[in-house]
Amino acid sequence: MSTIAAKSIKALAPLLDRVLVQRIKAETKTAGGIFLPESAVKELNEAKVLAVGPGAFDRDGKRIAPSVQPGDKVLIPQFGGSPIKVGEDEYSLFRDHELLAKINE
């Protein structure tokens, strides 16, 4: 896992068609108020988009706009991406085409 010596994740600007996401943490408390141990909480494949690159180029040199924007919720693959750690926080960089779906709420 890459460790970045940046003071803030805002210092990272994805290039081309890359998308910076942070995995959404699963609930550690049930609806009834019971706290679950970490071993019982499954990691979610949902993430929040924090930053998006300007887009890749097609064969004619025209820029292809990314399919997501900062603030969007997306479904990410179980494995893949480039993990990044800033301080204690963990993030991932994915290419736009690696994202599985955009979650509309």
Side-chain angles (χ1 to χ4, degrees):
M1 181 175 297
S2 300
T3 301
I4 304 295
K7 294 191 191 304
S8 167
I9 196 65
K10 294 182 193 283
L12 284 177
L15 300 175
L16 297 174
D17 64 339
R18 288 179 179 83
V19 179
L20 180 67
V21 301
Q22 184 174 30
R23 221 177 257 275
I24 296 173
K25 304 261 189 234
E27 291 293 325
T28 58
K29 188 173 164 184
T30 65
I34 299 171
F35 286 96
L36 300 170
E38 276 189 40
S39 60
V41 178
K42 186 178 177 191
E43 195 172 71
L44 295 176
N45 285 0
E46 292 180 18
K48 182 177 180 182
V49 176
L50 301 177
V52 179
F57 293 99
D58 65 11
R59 292 182 185 188
D60 299 325
K62 295 179 185 167
R63 193 172 293 275
I64 302 169
S67 59
V68 294
Q69 297 298 319
D72 287 346
K73 277 179 68 176
V74 294
L75 191 63
I76 57 174
Q78 182 72 31
F79 302 102
S82 299
I84 298 171
K85 190 167 185 173
V86 176
E88 293 299 313
D89 297 322
E90 294 181 9
Y91 305 92
S92 295
L93 270 172
F94 286 92
R95 289 198 175 265
D96 188 46
H97 70 273
E98 293 175 330
L99 300 176
L100 302 175
K102 182 176 170 180
I103 301 171
N104 297 319
E105 296 185 271

Coordinates of all heavy atoms in Angstrom, one line a residue:
M1 N 0.8 -1.2 0.0 CA 0.0 0.0 0.0 C 0.9 1.2 0.0 O 1.8 1.3 0.8 CB -0.9 0.0 1.2 CG -1.8 1.2 1.3 SD -3.0 1.1 2.6 CE -3.9 -0.3 2.2
S2 N 0.6 2.2 -0.9 CA 1.3 3.4 -0.9 C 1.0 4.3 0.3 O -0.1 4.5 0.6 CB 1.0 4.2 -2.2 OG 1.3 3.4 -3.3
T3 N 2.0 4.9 0.9 CA 1.8 5.9 1.9 C 2.3 7.2 1.4 O 3.4 7.4 0.9 CB 2.6 5.5 3.2 OG1 2.2 4.2 3.6 CG2 2.4 6.5 4.3
I4 N 1.4 8.2 1.4 CA 1.6 9.5 0.8 C 2.0 10.4 2.0 O 1.3 10.4 3.0 CB 0.4 10.0 0.1 CG1 0.0 9.0 -1.0 CG2 0.6 11.4 -0.5 CD1 1.0 8.9 -2.1
A5 N 3.0 11.2 1.8 CA 3.4 12.2 2.8 C 2.6 13.5 2.7 O 3.2 14.6 3.0 CB 4.9 12.4 2.8
A6 N 1.4 13.5 2.2 CA 0.6 14.7 2.0 C 0.0 15.0 3.3 O -0.4 14.2 4.1 CB -0.4 14.5 0.9
K7 N -0.2 16.3 3.6 CA -0.9 16.7 4.8 C -2.4 16.5 4.7 O -3.1 16.3 5.7 CB -0.7 18.2 5.1 CG 0.8 18.5 5.4 CD 0.9 19.9 5.9 CE 2.3 20.4 6.0 NZ 3.3 19.8 6.7
S8 N -2.9 16.4 3.5 CA -4.4 16.3 3.2 C -4.6 15.5 1.9 O -3.8 15.7 1.0 CB -5.0 17.6 3.2 OG -6.3 17.5 2.7
I9 N -5.7 14.8 1.9 CA -6.0 14.1 0.6 C -6.4 15.1 -0.5 O -6.3 14.8 -1.7 CB -7.2 13.1 0.9 CG1 -7.3 12.1 -0.3 CG2 -8.5 13.8 1.1 CD1 -6.1 11.2 -0.4
K10 N -6.7 16.3 -0.1 CA -7.0 17.4 -1.1 C -5.8 17.8 -1.9 O -6.0 18.4 -3.0 CB -7.6 18.6 -0.4 CG -9.0 18.4 0.3 CD -9.5 19.6 0.9 CE -10.6 19.3 1.8 NZ -11.9 19.1 1.4
A11 N -4.6 17.4 -1.5 CA -3.4 17.7 -2.2 C -3.3 16.7 -3.4 O -2.4 17.0 -4.3 CB -2.2 17.6 -1.3
L12 N -4.0 15.7 -3.5 CA -4.0 14.7 -4.6 C -5.0 15.0 -5.7 O -6.1 15.2 -5.4 CB -4.2 13.3 -4.1 CG -3.1 12.6 -3.3 CD1 -3.6 11.2 -2.8 CD2 -1.9 12.4 -4.2
A13 N -4.5 15.2 -6.9 CA -5.3 15.4 -8.0 C -5.2 14.3 -9.0 O -4.1 14.1 -9.6 CB -5.0 16.8 -8.7
P14 N -6.2 13.4 -9.2 CA -6.1 12.3 -10.1 C -5.8 12.8 -11.5 O -6.3 13.9 -11.9 CB -7.5 11.6 -10.0 CG -8.0 12.1 -8.8 CD -7.5 13.5 -8.5
L15 N -5.1 12.0 -12.3 CA -4.7 12.3 -13.7 C -5.6 11.5 -14.6 O -6.1 10.4 -14.3 CB -3.3 12.1 -13.9 CG -2.3 12.8 -13.1 CD1 -0.8 12.4 -13.4 CD2 -2.4 14.3 -13.4
L16 N -5.8 12.0 -15.8 CA -6.5 11.4 -16.9 C -7.9 10.8 -16.4 O -8.7 11.6 -16.0 CB -5.7 10.3 -17.6 CG -4.4 10.9 -18.3 CD1 -3.5 9.7 -18.8 CD2 -4.8 11.8 -19.4
D17 N -8.1 9.5 -16.6 CA -9.4 9.0 -16.2 C -9.4 8.3 -14.9 O -10.3 7.5 -14.6 CB -9.8 8.0 -17.3 CG -8.9 6.8 -17.4 OD1 -7.8 6.9 -16.9 OD2 -9.4 5.7 -17.9
R18 N -8.5 8.7 -14.0 CA -8.5 8.1 -12.6 C -9.5 8.8 -11.7 O -9.8 10.0 -11.8 CB -7.1 8.2 -12.1 CG -6.2 7.2 -12.8 CD -4.8 7.2 -12.3 NE -3.9 6.3 -13.0 CZ -3.4 6.5 -14.2 NH1 -3.6 7.7 -14.8 NH2 -2.6 5.6 -14.7
V19 N -10.0 8.0 -10.7 CA -11.0 8.5 -9.8 C -10.5 8.1 -8.4 O -10.2 6.9 -8.1 CB -12.4 7.8 -10.1 CG1 -13.4 8.2 -9.1 CG2 -12.8 8.1 -11.5
L20 N -10.5 9.1 -7.5 CA -10.1 8.9 -6.1 C -11.3 8.6 -5.3 O -12.3 9.4 -5.3 CB -9.3 10.1 -5.6 CG -8.8 10.0 -4.1 CD1 -7.7 9.0 -4.0 CD2 -8.3 11.4 -3.7
V21 N -11.4 7.5 -4.6 CA -12.5 7.1 -3.8 C -12.1 6.7 -2.4 O -11.0 6.4 -2.1 CB -13.3 5.9 -4.4 CG1 -13.8 6.3 -5.8 CG2 -12.6 4.6 -4.4
Q22 N -13.1 6.8 -1.5 CA -12.9 6.3 -0.1 C -14.1 5.3 0.1 O -15.2 5.7 0.0 CB -12.9 7.4 0.9 CG -12.6 6.9 2.3 CD -12.5 8.0 3.3 OE1 -13.1 9.1 3.2 NE2 -11.7 7.8 4.3
R23 N -13.7 4.1 0.6 CA -14.7 3.1 0.9 C -15.6 3.6 2.0 O -15.1 4.1 3.0 CB -14.0 1.8 1.3 CG -14.5 0.6 0.7 CD -13.7 -0.6 1.2 NE -12.8 -1.1 0.1 CZ -13.2 -2.0 -0.8 NH1 -14.4 -2.4 -0.8 NH2 -12.4 -2.4 -1.7
I24 N -16.9 3.3 1.9 CA -17.8 3.6 2.9 C -17.8 2.5 4.0 O -17.9 1.3 3.6 CB -19.3 3.8 2.3 CG1 -19.3 4.9 1.3 CG2 -20.3 3.9 3.4 CD1 -20.6 5.1 0.6
K25 N -17.6 2.9 5.2 CA -17.5 2.0 6.3 C -18.9 1.3 6.6 O -19.9 2.0 6.6 CB -17.1 2.7 7.6 CG -15.7 3.4 7.4 CD -14.6 2.6 7.9 CE -13.4 3.4 7.9 NZ -12.3 2.9 7.2
A26 N -18.9 0.0 6.9 CA -20.1 -0.7 7.2 C -20.6 -0.3 8.6 O -19.7 0.1 9.4 CB -19.9 -2.2 7.1
E27 N -21.9 -0.3 8.9 CA -22.4 0.0 10.2 C -21.9 -1.0 11.2 O -21.8 -2.2 11.0 CB -23.9 -0.1 10.2 CG -24.6 1.0 9.3 CD -24.4 2.4 9.9 OE1 -24.4 2.6 11.2 OE2 -24.2 3.4 9.1
T28 N -21.4 -0.5 12.3 CA -20.9 -1.3 13.4 C -22.0 -1.5 14.5 O -21.7 -2.0 15.6 CB -19.7 -0.7 14.0 OG1 -19.9 0.6 14.5 CG2 -18.5 -0.7 13.0
K29 N -23.2 -1.0 14.3 CA -24.3 -1.0 15.2 C -25.5 -1.5 14.5 O -25.8 -1.0 13.4 CB -24.4 0.3 15.8 CG -25.4 0.4 17.0 CD -25.3 1.9 17.5 CE -26.4 2.2 18.5 NZ -26.4 3.6 18.9
T30 N -26.2 -2.4 15.1 CA -27.5 -2.9 14.5 C -28.6 -1.9 14.8 O -28.5 -0.9 15.6 CB -27.9 -4.2 15.1 OG1 -28.2 -4.0 16.5 CG2 -26.8 -5.3 14.9
A31 N -29.7 -2.1 14.1 CA -30.9 -1.2 14.3 C -31.4 -1.2 15.7 O -31.9 -0.2 16.2 CB -32.0 -1.6 13.3
G32 N -31.2 -2.3 16.4 CA -31.6 -2.4 17.8 C -30.6 -1.8 18.8 O -30.8 -1.9 20.0
G33 N -29.5 -1.4 18.3 CA -28.5 -0.7 19.2 C -27.4 -1.6 19.6 O -26.6 -1.2 20.5
I34 N -27.3 -2.8 19.1 CA -26.2 -3.8 19.5 C -25.0 -3.5 18.7 O -25.0 -3.4 17.4 CB -26.7 -5.2 19.3 CG1 -27.9 -5.5 20.2 CG2 -25.5 -6.2 19.6 CD1 -28.5 -6.8 19.9
F35 N -23.8 -3.3 19.4 CA -22.6 -3.1 18.7 C -22.0 -4.4 18.2 O -22.0 -5.4 18.9 CB -21.6 -2.4 19.6 CG -21.9 -1.0 19.8 CD1 -22.6 -0.6 21.0 CD2 -21.5 0.0 18.9 CE1 -22.9 0.7 21.2 CE2 -21.8 1.3 19.1 CZ -22.5 1.7 20.3
L36 N -21.5 -4.4 16.9 CA -21.0 -5.6 16.3 C -19.4 -5.6 16.4 O -18.8 -4.5 16.2 CB -21.4 -5.7 14.8 CG -22.9 -5.7 14.5 CD1 -23.1 -5.5 13.1 CD2 -23.4 -7.1 15.0
P37 N -18.8 -6.7 16.6 CA -17.3 -6.7 16.6 C -16.8 -6.5 15.2 O -17.5 -6.8 14.2 CB -17.0 -8.1 17.1 CG -18.2 -8.9 16.9 CD -19.4 -8.0 16.9
E38 N -15.6 -6.0 15.1 CA -15.0 -5.8 13.8 C -15.0 -7.0 12.9 O -15.1 -6.9 11.7 CB -13.6 -5.2 13.9 CG -13.6 -3.7 14.1 CD -12.1 -3.2 14.0 OE1 -11.4 -3.6 13.2 OE2 -11.8 -2.3 14.8
S39 N -14.8 -8.2 13.5 CA -14.7 -9.4 12.7 C -16.0 -9.8 12.1 O -16.1 -10.5 11.1 CB -14.2 -10.6 13.6 OG -15.1 -10.7 14.7
A40 N -17.1 -9.3 12.6 CA -18.4 -9.6 12.1 C -18.9 -8.6 11.0 O -19.9 -8.8 10.3 CB -19.5 -9.6 13.2
V41 N -18.2 -7.5 10.9 CA -18.6 -6.4 10.0 C -17.9 -6.7 8.6 O -16.7 -6.7 8.5 CB -18.2 -5.0 10.5 CG1 -18.6 -3.9 9.5 CG2 -18.9 -4.8 11.8
K42 N -18.7 -6.8 7.6 CA -18.2 -7.1 6.3 C -17.9 -5.8 5.6 O -18.6 -4.8 5.7 CB -19.2 -7.9 5.4 CG -18.8 -8.3 4.1 CD -19.8 -9.1 3.4 CE -19.3 -9.5 2.0 NZ -20.4 -10.0 1.2
E43 N -16.8 -5.8 4.8 CA -16.4 -4.6 4.1 C -17.3 -4.4 2.9 O -17.6 -5.3 2.1 CB -14.9 -4.8 3.6 CG -14.3 -3.5 3.2 CD -12.8 -3.7 2.9 OE1 -12.5 -4.3 1.8 OE2 -12.0 -3.2 3.6
L44 N -17.8 -3.1 2.8 CA -18.7 -2.8 1.7 C -18.0 -2.5 0.4 O -16.8 -2.1 0.4 CB -19.6 -1.6 2.1 CG -20.5 -1.8 3.2 CD1 -21.2 -0.4 3.5 CD2 -21.6 -2.8 2.9
N45 N -18.6 -2.7 -0.7 CA -18.1 -2.4 -2.0 C -18.6 -1.0 -2.5 O -18.5 -0.7 -3.7 CB -18.4 -3.4 -3.1 CG -17.6 -4.7 -2.9 OD1 -16.8 -4.7 -1.9 ND2 -17.8 -5.7 -3.7
E46 N -19.1 -0.2 -1.6 CA -19.6 1.1 -1.9 C -18.5 2.1 -1.5 O -17.8 1.9 -0.5 CB -20.9 1.4 -1.1 CG -22.0 0.6 -1.6 CD -23.3 1.0 -0.8 OE1 -23.3 2.1 -0.2 OE2 -24.2 0.2 -0.8
A47 N -18.4 3.2 -2.3 CA -17.4 4.2 -2.0 C -17.9 5.5 -2.4 O -18.8 5.7 -3.3 CB -16.1 3.9 -2.8
K48 N -17.3 6.6 -1.8 CA -17.6 7.9 -2.2 C -16.5 8.5 -3.0 O -15.3 8.4 -2.7 CB -17.8 8.8 -0.9 CG -18.2 10.2 -1.2 CD -18.4 11.0 0.1 CE -18.8 12.4 -0.3 NZ -19.0 13.2 0.9
V49 N -16.9 9.1 -4.1 CA -15.9 9.8 -5.1 C -15.5 11.1 -4.4 O -16.3 11.9 -4.1 CB -16.5 10.0 -6.4 CG1 -15.6 10.7 -7.3 CG2 -17.0 8.7 -7.1
L50 N -14.1 11.2 -4.2 CA -13.6 12.4 -3.7 C -13.0 13.4 -4.7 O -13.1 14.6 -4.6 CB -12.5 12.0 -2.7 CG -12.9 11.1 -1.5 CD1 -11.7 10.8 -0.6 CD2 -14.0 11.8 -0.7
A51 N -12.4 12.8 -5.7 CA -11.8 13.6 -6.8 C -11.8 12.8 -8.1 O -11.7 11.6 -8.1 CB -10.4 14.0 -6.4
V52 N -11.9 13.5 -9.2 CA -11.9 12.9 -10.5 C -10.9 13.6 -11.5 O -10.9 14.9 -11.5 CB -13.4 13.0 -11.1 CG1 -13.4 12.4 -12.5 CG2 -14.4 12.4 -10.2
G53 N -10.2 12.8 -12.2 CA -9.3 13.4 -13.2 C -10.1 14.1 -14.4 O -11.3 13.9 -14.5
P54 N -9.4 14.8 -15.2 CA -10.1 15.5 -16.3 C -10.6 14.6 -17.4 O -11.5 15.0 -18.2 CB -9.1 16.4 -16.9 CG -7.8 15.8 -16.5 CD -8.0 15.1 -15.2
G55 N -10.2 13.3 -17.5 CA -10.7 12.4 -18.5 C -9.5 12.0 -19.4 O -8.5 12.7 -19.6
A56 N -9.7 10.8 -20.0 CA -8.7 10.2 -20.9 C -8.9 10.8 -22.3 O -9.9 11.5 -22.6 CB -8.8 8.7 -21.0
F57 N -8.0 10.5 -23.3 CA -8.2 11.0 -24.6 C -8.5 9.8 -25.5 O -8.1 8.7 -25.3 CB -6.8 11.6 -25.1 CG -6.5 12.9 -24.4 CD1 -5.6 12.9 -23.4 CD2 -7.1 14.0 -24.8 CE1 -5.3 14.0 -22.7 CE2 -6.8 15.2 -24.2 CZ -5.9 15.2 -23.1
D58 N -9.4 10.0 -26.5 CA -9.7 9.0 -27.5 C -8.7 9.0 -28.6 O -7.7 9.8 -28.6 CB -11.1 9.2 -28.0 CG -11.3 10.4 -28.9 OD1 -10.4 11.1 -29.2 OD2 -12.5 10.7 -29.2
R59 N -8.9 8.2 -29.6 CA -7.9 8.1 -30.7 C -7.7 9.4 -31.5 O -6.7 9.6 -32.1 CB -8.3 7.0 -31.7 CG -8.2 5.6 -31.1 CD -8.5 4.5 -32.0 NE -8.5 3.3 -31.4 CZ -8.7 2.1 -32.0 NH1 -8.8 2.1 -33.3 NH2 -8.6 1.0 -31.3
D60 N -8.7 10.2 -31.5 CA -8.7 11.5 -32.3 C -8.1 12.6 -31.4 O -8.1 13.7 -31.9 CB -10.1 11.8 -32.8 CG -10.6 10.8 -33.7 OD1 -9.8 10.2 -34.5 OD2 -11.9 10.6 -33.7
G61 N -7.7 12.3 -30.2 CA -7.2 13.3 -29.3 C -8.2 14.1 -28.6 O -7.9 15.1 -27.9
K62 N -9.5 13.7 -28.7 CA -10.6 14.4 -27.9 C -10.7 13.8 -26.5 O -10.6 12.6 -26.4 CB -11.9 14.3 -28.7 CG -11.9 15.0 -30.0 CD -13.2 14.8 -30.7 CE -13.1 15.4 -32.1 NZ -14.2 15.0 -32.9
R63 N -10.9 14.7 -25.6 CA -11.0 14.3 -24.2 C -12.4 13.6 -23.9 O -13.4 14.1 -24.3 CB -10.9 15.4 -23.2 CG -10.7 15.0 -21.8 CD -10.3 16.1 -20.9 NE -9.0 16.7 -21.1 CZ -7.8 16.2 -20.6 NH1 -7.8 15.1 -19.9 NH2 -6.7 16.9 -20.8
I64 N -12.3 12.4 -23.3 CA -13.6 11.7 -22.9 C -13.9 12.1 -21.5 O -13.1 11.8 -20.6 CB -13.3 10.2 -23.0 CG1 -12.9 9.8 -24.4 CG2 -14.6 9.4 -22.5 CD1 -12.4 8.4 -24.5
A65 N -15.0 12.7 -21.2 CA -15.4 13.1 -19.9 C -15.6 11.9 -19.0 O -16.2 10.9 -19.4 CB -16.7 13.9 -20.0
P66 N -15.2 12.0 -17.7 CA -15.4 10.9 -16.8 C -16.9 10.8 -16.5 O -17.7 11.7 -16.6 CB -14.7 11.4 -15.5 CG -14.2 12.8 -15.7 CD -14.5 13.2 -17.1
S67 N -17.3 9.6 -16.1 CA -18.7 9.2 -15.9 C -19.2 9.6 -14.5 O -20.4 9.4 -14.2 CB -19.0 7.8 -16.2 OG -18.2 7.0 -15.4
V68 N -18.3 10.0 -13.6 CA -18.7 10.3 -12.2 C -18.2 11.7 -11.8 O -17.2 12.2 -12.5 CB -18.2 9.2 -11.2 CG1 -19.0 7.9 -11.4 CG2 -16.8 9.0 -11.2
Q69 N -18.7 12.2 -10.8 CA -18.3 13.5 -10.3 C -18.0 13.4 -8.8 O -18.5 12.5 -8.1 CB -19.4 14.6 -10.5 CG -19.7 14.9 -11.9 CD -18.5 15.4 -12.7 OE1 -17.8 16.2 -12.2 NE2 -18.4 14.9 -13.9
P70 N -17.2 14.3 -8.2 CA -17.0 14.3 -6.7 C -18.3 14.3 -6.0 O -19.2 15.1 -6.4 CB -16.1 15.5 -6.5 CG -15.4 15.7 -7.8 CD -16.4 15.3 -8.8
G71 N -18.4 13.5 -5.0 CA -19.6 13.4 -4.2 C -20.5 12.3 -4.5 O -21.4 11.9 -3.8
D72 N -20.3 11.7 -5.7 CA -21.1 10.5 -6.2 C -20.8 9.3 -5.3 O -19.7 9.1 -4.8 CB -20.9 10.2 -7.6 CG -21.5 11.2 -8.6 OD1 -22.3 12.0 -8.2 OD2 -21.1 11.1 -9.8
K73 N -21.8 8.4 -5.1 CA -21.6 7.1 -4.5 C -21.4 6.1 -5.7 O -22.2 6.1 -6.6 CB -22.7 6.7 -3.6 CG -22.6 7.3 -2.2 CD -23.7 6.9 -1.3 CE -23.8 5.5 -1.0 NZ -24.8 5.1 0.0
V74 N -20.4 5.2 -5.6 CA -20.2 4.2 -6.6 C -20.0 2.8 -6.0 O -19.7 2.7 -4.9 CB -19.0 4.6 -7.5 CG1 -19.2 5.9 -8.3 CG2 -17.7 4.7 -6.6
L75 N -20.2 1.9 -6.9 CA -19.9 0.5 -6.5 C -18.6 0.1 -7.1 O -18.4 0.3 -8.3 CB -21.0 -0.4 -7.1 CG -21.1 -1.9 -6.7 CD1 -21.4 -2.0 -5.2 CD2 -22.2 -2.6 -7.5
I76 N -17.7 -0.3 -6.3 CA -16.3 -0.6 -6.8 C -16.1 -2.1 -6.7 O -16.7 -2.8 -6.0 CB -15.2 0.1 -5.9 CG1 -15.4 -0.2 -4.4 CG2 -15.3 1.6 -6.1 CD1 -14.3 0.4 -3.6
P77 N -15.1 -2.6 -7.5 CA -14.8 -4.1 -7.4 C -14.2 -4.5 -6.1 O -13.6 -3.6 -5.4 CB -13.8 -4.3 -8.6 CG -13.4 -2.9 -9.1 CD -14.3 -1.9 -8.5
Q78 N -14.4 -5.7 -5.7 CA -13.9 -6.2 -4.4 C -12.3 -6.1 -4.4 O -11.8 -5.7 -3.4 CB -14.2 -7.7 -4.3 CG -13.8 -8.3 -3.0 CD -14.6 -7.8 -1.8 OE1 -15.8 -7.5 -1.9 NE2 -14.0 -7.8 -0.6
F79 N -11.7 -6.3 -5.5 CA -10.2 -6.2 -5.6 C -9.8 -5.3 -6.7 O -10.6 -5.0 -7.6 CB -9.6 -7.6 -5.8 CG -10.0 -8.6 -4.8 CD1 -10.9 -9.5 -5.0 CD2 -9.4 -8.6 -3.5 CE1 -11.3 -10.5 -4.0 CE2 -9.7 -9.5 -2.5 CZ -10.7 -10.4 -2.8
G80 N -8.6 -4.7 -6.6 CA -8.2 -3.9 -7.7 C -8.0 -2.4 -7.2 O -8.1 -2.2 -6.0
G81 N -7.7 -1.6 -8.1 CA -7.4 -0.2 -7.7 C -6.0 -0.1 -7.1 O -5.3 -1.1 -6.9
S82 N -5.6 1.1 -6.9 CA -4.3 1.4 -6.2 C -4.6 2.0 -4.9 O -5.1 3.1 -4.7 CB -3.5 2.4 -7.1 OG -3.3 1.9 -8.3
P83 N -4.3 1.2 -3.8 CA -4.6 1.7 -2.5 C -3.6 2.8 -2.1 O -2.4 2.8 -2.4 CB -4.4 0.5 -1.6 CG -3.6 -0.4 -2.4 CD -3.8 -0.1 -3.8
I84 N -4.1 3.8 -1.4 CA -3.3 5.0 -0.9 C -3.6 5.2 0.5 O -4.8 5.2 0.9 CB -3.6 6.2 -1.7 CG1 -3.3 6.0 -3.2 CG2 -2.9 7.5 -1.2 CD1 -3.8 7.1 -4.1
K85 N -2.6 5.5 1.4 CA -2.9 5.8 2.8 C -2.3 7.2 3.1 O -1.2 7.5 2.8 CB -2.2 4.8 3.6 CG -2.6 4.9 5.1 CD -2.1 3.6 5.8 CE -2.7 3.7 7.3 NZ -2.4 2.5 8.0
V86 N -3.2 8.0 3.6 CA -2.8 9.4 4.0 C -3.1 9.5 5.5 O -4.2 9.5 5.9 CB -3.6 10.5 3.2 CG1 -3.2 11.9 3.8 CG2 -3.3 10.4 1.8
G87 N -2.0 9.5 6.3 CA -2.2 9.5 7.8 C -2.8 8.1 8.1 O -2.3 7.1 7.8
E88 N -3.9 8.1 8.8 CA -4.6 6.9 9.2 C -5.7 6.5 8.2 O -6.3 5.4 8.3 CB -5.2 7.0 10.6 CG -4.2 7.1 11.7 CD -3.3 5.9 11.8 OE1 -3.8 4.8 11.7 OE2 -2.1 6.1 11.8
D89 N -6.0 7.4 7.3 CA -7.1 7.2 6.3 C -6.7 6.4 5.1 O -5.6 6.7 4.6 CB -7.8 8.5 5.9 CG -8.4 9.2 7.1 OD1 -9.0 8.6 7.9 OD2 -8.3 10.5 7.1
E90 N -7.6 5.5 4.6 CA -7.2 4.7 3.4 C -8.2 5.1 2.2 O -9.4 5.3 2.4 CB -7.4 3.3 3.7 CG -6.4 2.8 4.7 CD -6.5 1.3 5.0 OE1 -7.3 0.6 4.3 OE2 -5.8 0.8 5.9
Y91 N -7.6 5.3 1.1 CA -8.3 5.7 -0.2 C -7.8 4.7 -1.3 O -6.9 3.9 -1.1 CB -7.9 7.1 -0.5 CG -8.1 8.1 0.6 CD1 -7.1 8.4 1.5 CD2 -9.4 8.7 0.7 CE1 -7.4 9.3 2.5 CE2 -9.6 9.6 1.7 CZ -8.6 9.9 2.6 OH -8.8 10.8 3.6
S92 N -8.5 4.8 -2.4 CA -8.1 4.0 -3.6 C -8.3 4.8 -4.8 O -9.2 5.7 -4.9 CB -9.0 2.8 -3.7 OG -8.8 1.9 -2.6
L93 N -7.4 4.6 -5.8 CA -7.5 5.2 -7.1 C -7.9 4.1 -8.1 O -7.3 3.0 -8.2 CB -6.1 5.7 -7.6 CG -5.8 7.1 -7.2 CD1 -4.4 7.4 -7.6 CD2 -6.7 8.1 -7.9
F94 N -9.0 4.4 -8.8 CA -9.5 3.4 -9.9 C -9.5 4.2 -11.2 O -9.7 5.4 -11.2 CB -10.9 3.0 -9.6 CG -11.0 2.0 -8.5 CD1 -11.2 2.3 -7.1 CD2 -10.9 0.6 -8.7 CE1 -11.3 1.4 -6.1 CE2 -10.9 -0.3 -7.7 CZ -11.1 0.1 -6.4
R95 N -9.4 3.5 -12.3 CA -9.7 4.1 -13.6 C -11.2 4.2 -13.7 O -12.0 3.3 -13.2 CB -9.1 3.3 -14.7 CG -7.6 3.4 -14.7 CD -7.0 2.9 -16.1 NE -5.6 3.2 -16.1 CZ -5.1 4.3 -16.6 NH1 -5.8 5.2 -17.1 NH2 -3.8 4.4 -16.7
D96 N -11.7 5.1 -14.4 CA -13.2 5.4 -14.6 C -13.9 4.1 -15.1 O -14.9 3.7 -14.6 CB -13.4 6.5 -15.6 CG -14.8 6.9 -15.7 OD1 -15.5 7.1 -14.6 OD2 -15.3 7.1 -16.8
H97 N -13.2 3.4 -16.0 CA -13.9 2.2 -16.6 C -13.9 1.0 -15.6 O -14.6 0.0 -15.9 CB -13.3 1.8 -17.9 CG -11.9 1.2 -17.8 ND1 -10.8 2.1 -17.8 CD2 -11.4 0.0 -17.7 CE1 -9.7 1.3 -17.7 NE2 -10.1 0.0 -17.6
E98 N -13.1 1.1 -14.5 CA -13.1 0.0 -13.5 C -14.3 0.0 -12.6 O -14.6 -0.9 -11.9 CB -11.8 0.0 -12.8 CG -10.6 -0.3 -13.6 CD -9.3 -0.2 -12.8 OE1 -9.2 0.6 -11.9 OE2 -8.3 -0.9 -13.1
L99 N -14.9 1.2 -12.4 CA -16.0 1.4 -11.5 C -17.2 0.6 -12.0 O -17.4 0.5 -13.3 CB -16.4 2.8 -11.4 CG -15.3 3.8 -10.9 CD1 -15.8 5.2 -10.9 CD2 -14.9 3.4 -9.5
L100 N -17.9 -0.1 -11.2 CA -18.9 -1.0 -11.6 C -20.3 -0.3 -11.8 O -21.0 -0.7 -12.7 CB -19.1 -2.1 -10.5 CG -17.9 -3.0 -10.2 CD1 -18.2 -4.0 -9.1 CD2 -17.4 -3.7 -11.5
A101 N -20.6 0.6 -11.0 CA -21.9 1.3 -11.1 C -21.9 2.6 -10.3 O -21.1 2.7 -9.4 CB -23.0 0.4 -10.6
K102 N -22.8 3.5 -10.7 CA -23.0 4.7 -10.0 C -24.3 4.5 -9.2 O -25.3 4.0 -9.7 CB -23.2 5.9 -10.9 CG -23.4 7.2 -10.3 CD -23.4 8.3 -11.3 CE -23.8 9.6 -10.8 NZ -23.9 10.6 -11.8
I103 N -24.3 4.8 -7.9 CA -25.5 4.6 -7.0 C -26.3 5.8 -7.0 O -25.8 6.9 -6.4 CB -25.1 4.1 -5.6 CG1 -24.2 2.8 -5.7 CG2 -26.3 3.9 -4.7 CD1 -23.6 2.4 -4.4
N104 N -27.5 5.8 -7.5 CA -28.4 7.0 -7.5 C -29.3 6.9 -6.3 O -30.0 5.9 -6.2 CB -29.2 7.1 -8.8 CG -28.3 7.3 -10.0 OD1 -27.3 8.1 -10.0 ND2 -28.6 6.6 -11.1
E105 N -29.3 7.9 -5.5 CA -30.2 7.8 -4.3 C -31.2 8.9 -4.4 O -31.1 9.9 -4.9 CB -29.4 8.0 -3.0 CG -28.4 6.9 -2.8 CD -27.7 7.0 -1.5 OE1 -26.6 7.6 -1.5 OE2 -28.2 6.4 -0.6

